Amino acid sequence: MRAPLFAASLLLGACGTEPSQPVETSSALPPGIVARVGAEEVSADAVARVAKERGLAPRAALALLVRDALFAQAVREDPSARALVSVGERGALARVVLEDLAARAAMEGPPTEAEIQTVRERRWYDIDRPEATRTIHVVALAKDAALRQKARALAERLRSAVAGVTTADDFEAKAKAVPAGDIEVRVERLDPVAKDGRVVPARPPIPGEPVARLDLPFAEAASALPAPEAQSEVVETSHGFHVIMMLERVPAHRVPAEVAEPLLRKEALTDRARAAELALERSLINSAPVGIDRAAEQLTSLVSVVP
């Protein structure tokens, strides 16, 4: 079998500033090998993969692989860059492991309904955000059972004081003007809350953070208000006794199922692969414990990082 054999030398062009193209020669190569750059061999399978992934003609894919091999050889021959070779090779091998875990996760079959539901619950803000109600409220806090009767009576006076106001500022001013005695009173403007108690902030919640919730009686009372400026009766929660005024109704945001389902399935497979990655990491740590020198933090702080 005859196949192209590539060797490269950086020859100066006529103007003395531009390097020439690599010199191409021909020689016999082993079956399945289409090029050799120094000791580095380029296989026909590698050319086919690069051509498919990049959408290139085979010749162009081969040229990319030859270029990569040339640079790799130059780095290996440079003593000052040998550490970079080690880092690069570790990164490439790690990528192979991750790709294999992803392939194995897909081979296990389509994601289950339970896996998809886990993703749906995590991505609720982006995929299935419920209608919510933004409010201002005043609460007479009842820190122990002995104060609950007095707190309720104060809440009734607060309700009378704020009755008929139409702005948040007036609501706050009227509520704060009511003598509270030994009962603590708070007036708060709250993020929108859904009927099930979930707080629906203006910005997406931080990934991994638990969903903030308000007491269910409060959330249900807020959601039951018919329109902005409407006020509730006194609402009892575990914190005390509230009077709530609606400021705004925030509409629901739901991504159509035909758009959301493929995204949920893809992320469920990613979760499956990530679980396998964590299990592999734990087994590797158990088999080869990691030790970090106490001086590591001090030493790494001396490393100069170029922006």
Side-chain angles (χ1 to χ4, degrees):
M1 173 183 176
R2 303 282 295 179
L5 170 63
F6 288 89
S9 59
L10 300 180
L11 303 177
L12 294 180
C15 65
T17 58
E18 294 293 332
S20 69
Q21 293 297 317
V23 176
E24 178 181 330
T25 63
S26 293
S27 177
L29 292 172
I33 302 301
V34 296
R36 181 182 290 127
V37 181
E40 188 82 16
E41 293 182 339
V42 180
S43 69
D45 287 343
V47 173
R49 286 198 304 272
V50 171
K52 180 180 179 181
E53 292 173 2
R54 300 284 188 91
L56 299 173
R59 185 79 178 180
L62 176 58
L64 282 178
L65 289 168
V66 168
R67 184 196 64 179
D68 288 349
L70 283 167
F71 282 118
Q73 180 174 308
V75 171
R76 286 193 181 96
E77 292 174 354
D78 181 357
S80 67
R82 284 174 186 166
L84 297 177
V85 175
S86 175
V87 171
E89 288 176 342
R90 285 203 305 273
L93 291 172
R95 174 54 56 185
V96 170
V97 172
L98 293 177
E99 290 174 351
D100 180 65
L101 291 174
R104 289 173 182 267
M107 289 172 61
E108 292 177 19
T112 65
E113 279 303 315
E115 288 174 320
I116 293 172
Q117 183 60 25
T118 296
V119 179
R120 183 180 284 112
E121 291 173 0
R122 183 172 67 238
R123 295 290 302 274
W124 67 273
Y125 191 91
D126 303 310
I127 300 295
D128 190 16
R129 196 182 317 158
E131 180 181 80
T133 306
R134 189 165 63 87
T135 62
I136 184 172
H137 78 123
V138 57
V139 55
L141 296 171
K143 296 180 179 179
D144 56 59
L147 293 175
R148 293 196 75 80
Q149 187 173 353
K150 291 178 65 176
R152 177 182 282 278
L154 175 57
E156 293 291 353
R157 295 197 299 275
L158 289 166
R159 180 174 176 271
S160 298
V162 299
V165 304
T166 58
T167 69
D169 288 343
D170 285 347
F171 183 98
E172 183 172 359
K174 294 281 188 181
K176 287 182 175 180
V178 175
D182 57 351
I183 303 295
E184 183 180 355
V185 172
R186 291 182 188 171
V187 182
E188 299 171 313
R189 305 180 195 214
L190 301 175
D191 281 337
V193 61
K195 187 176 181 179
D196 63 5
R198 278 179 292 174
V199 174
V200 183
R203 297 181 180 180
I206 298 172
E209 288 288 318
V211 179
R213 290 183 176 273
L214 299 182
D215 278 14
L216 192 58
F218 183 99
E220 290 176 341
S223 298
L225 294 172
E229 301 176 12
Q231 296 180 14
S232 71
E233 302 290 333
V234 173
V235 178
E236 182 178 0
T237 72
S238 61
H239 301 287
F241 299 88
H242 311 249
V243 179
I244 308 165
M245 185 171 83
M246 176 179 169
L247 300 179
E248 179 189 10
R249 187 84 76 197
V250 180
H253 169 76
R254 292 187 171 89
V255 176
E258 61 271 20
V259 176
E261 286 302 316
L263 298 175
L264 294 173
R265 292 180 181 278
K266 182 179 180 181
E267 190 162 331
L269 288 178
T270 300
D271 283 354
R272 188 186 289 175
R274 188 176 292 117
E277 177 191 349
L278 292 175
L280 175 60
E281 181 182 353
R282 284 193 295 269
S283 69
L284 292 172
I285 289 174
N286 291 335
S287 62
V290 177
I292 299 177
D293 192 286
R294 292 184 177 180
E297 184 175 346
Q298 179 184 358
L299 293 172
T300 54
S301 69
L302 301 177
V303 176
S304 176
V305 179
V306 179

